[in-house]
Amino acid sequence: MDKINRVIVLLSSFNGEKYIQEQIESIFHQNATNILIDLIVRDDGSSDDTKKIISSLKKNNIQNVFSENIGVVASFFELIKIANDDANYYAFSDQDDVWKENKIERAVSSLSMYEKPCMWCSRLDVVDSNLNHLFFSEIPKRQISFNNALVENIVTGCTIVLNRAAFLLLKYSLPDPKKIVMHDWWFYLVISVFGQIIYDSEPSINYRQHNANVEGMKFGLSKIAKKISTISKPSKYTSIYTQLSEFFRIYNNSLTKNERDILYNFMVSINGKNIFKAVQMVFLGKVYRQTNIENLSLIFSIFTKRI
């Protein structure tokens, strides 16, 4: 008899009444064979009918957790704490997308080749509120690496599937959520050092864009334009420096000398000690983003001390 692989899907919801049922239906309509899917939904204090909709889905393999509002980052880390350690794979889901029917099958097929910590993620098929195709997200042009993860996130959380080794690596060294930019960026940072990252260039989800998105898609010049327009306003996001400091606190003793030196030197530089050294590290490729425009955006952030 073929092995049955158990996949736990972790979904954080907040005022998602419009699309969440369609999202959940797509999770359970996977065409994978020998796969058992369990879903844990943590509602982050919704005030609409999200909790009512979730509760109406009478499935034995759905666990609902209704709790207070702590924000999307902390909510996903709470889900990691809640999930049992005995699944083979762990996937993460937003509340408003639609998964391709072969997402889990593709992820498990790729991840099954690795025993070390491994994270699978993919490109996005970006769609409008009615699921009409808009565009495909960009494919990374440069190496997926720790040097990139220090200053840029190329991983979209709702595409992530982890093997058990990667899940346990993350679960038992959890950071302070208030010091993290986004949970998926933290995953990229950690697993780029201690594991393997598989980036699938074929989209695995229909990534819905609508007015209520917690996170939207911004690239290149539009991102720089937004930075310039908000330069006089305090950022609503945790700084990259704060996230790197938290990473250094947890993993300093586990890094190689080269990794530790790059991390420490960049942190010291962007913390106001020597911003020109930080810019030099970008030009030398010690830290980098995937495109020249994104690197210009990074340099702009360094000079304006918004990093």
Side-chain angles (χ1 to χ4, degrees):
M1 183 179 293
D2 291 336
K3 175 185 176 182
I4 301 296
N5 286 300
R6 181 171 174 236
V7 180
I8 295 180
V9 179
L10 306 178
L11 188 158
S12 177
S13 63
F14 178 71
N15 291 344
E17 63 181 3
K18 190 170 184 180
Y19 303 114
I20 194 165
Q21 184 165 344
E22 188 175 18
Q23 169 71 86
I24 291 174
E25 287 173 354
S26 75
I27 290 171
F28 286 107
H29 284 98
Q30 294 292 296
N31 60 13
T33 56
N34 301 316
I35 295 288
L36 175 64
I37 295 178
D38 291 326
L39 173 64
I40 304 175
V41 181
R42 182 192 179 279
D43 186 79
D44 195 36
S46 291
S47 58
D48 64 0
D49 284 339
T50 299
K51 289 181 279 190
K52 180 179 179 181
I53 293 168
I54 297 169
S55 299
S56 71
L57 300 175
K58 304 299 182 181
K59 286 180 175 287
N60 293 331
N61 47 355
I62 298 180
Q63 176 184 348
N64 298 324
V65 180
F66 300 138
S67 194
E68 73 277 8
N69 181 265
I70 57 175
V72 62
V73 177
S75 185
F76 273 111
F77 283 122
E78 284 299 311
L79 280 162
I80 290 174
K81 294 178 186 176
I82 292 167
N84 292 331
D85 298 351
D86 57 355
N88 302 97
Y89 303 99
Y90 298 81
F92 293 78
S93 177
D94 286 352
Q95 64 183 1
D96 47 13
D97 304 317
V98 173
W99 286 12
K100 307 284 189 184
E101 291 184 349
N102 63 351
K103 173 184 176 176
I104 293 299
E105 181 180 51
R106 286 160 48 200
V108 168
S109 177
S110 297
L111 290 167
S112 64
M113 296 185 288
Y114 296 90
E115 292 186 2
K116 66 181 179 180
C118 190
M119 176 174 70
W120 182 94
C121 58
S122 82
R123 196 179 191 185
L124 306 172
D125 185 351
V126 184
V127 299
D128 65 17
S129 59
N130 296 313
L131 300 180
N132 297 306
H133 172 76
L134 298 175
F135 59 90
F136 295 115
S137 62
E138 297 178 2
I139 296 174
K141 296 176 174 59
R142 300 183 67 178
Q143 184 178 1
I144 295 173
S145 70
F146 176 59
N147 307 71
N148 179 225
L150 290 170
V151 294
E152 182 181 32
N153 182 26
I154 55 88
V155 175
T156 305
C158 49
T159 71
I160 289 174
V161 184
L162 305 172
N163 66 4
R164 183 188 291 142
F167 178 77
L168 296 179
L169 171 67
L170 292 163
K171 180 171 183 173
Y172 291 103
S173 296
L174 288 175
D176 179 349
K178 295 183 177 65
K179 297 180 179 179
I180 303 305
V181 180
M182 284 298 288
H183 63 285
D184 47 11
W185 194 341
W186 182 257
F187 296 177
Y188 179 30
L189 192 54
V190 173
I191 299 175
S192 69
V193 174
F194 302 108
Q196 177 73 34
I197 296 169
I198 302 169
Y199 187 94
D200 192 330
S201 59
E202 179 185 343
S204 67
I205 70 168
N206 294 320
Y207 186 76
R208 199 187 313 251
Q209 295 290 281
H210 56 87
N211 292 336
N213 278 52
V214 172
E215 290 294 313
M217 300 289 289
K218 291 183 176 61
F219 301 106
L221 291 173
S222 64
K223 185 180 290 187
I224 296 176
K226 183 179 179 182
K227 285 182 182 293
I228 294 173
S229 67
T230 60
I231 191 170
S232 61
K233 303 176 184 177
S235 175
K236 65 178 182 178
Y237 296 106
T238 300
S239 70
I240 291 176
Y241 174 79
T242 301
Q243 177 166 268
L244 295 183
S245 298
E246 182 69 353
F247 182 81
F248 187 84
R249 179 186 70 81
I250 297 173
Y251 293 110
N252 175 39
N253 293 331
S254 301
L255 301 175
T256 65
K257 183 180 184 305
N258 182 59
E259 291 163 347
R260 188 182 303 109
D261 287 348
I262 291 173
L263 172 59
Y264 181 78
N265 289 335
F266 187 67
M267 285 171 51
V268 170
S269 299
I270 63 176
N271 195 32
K273 305 299 183 183
N274 190 344
I275 61 173
F276 291 100
K277 182 175 181 180
V279 172
Q280 183 184 45
M281 291 181 73
V282 177
F283 279 112
L284 293 176
K286 298 291 185 181
V287 297
Y288 60 84
R289 290 182 174 173
Q290 290 292 323
T291 66
N292 290 334
I293 289 177
E294 289 293 346
N295 279 318
L296 286 175
S297 175
L298 174 59
I299 291 170
F300 177 83
S301 298
I302 292 170
F303 275 120
T304 56
K305 297 183 179 181
R306 293 175 65 84
I307 187 170

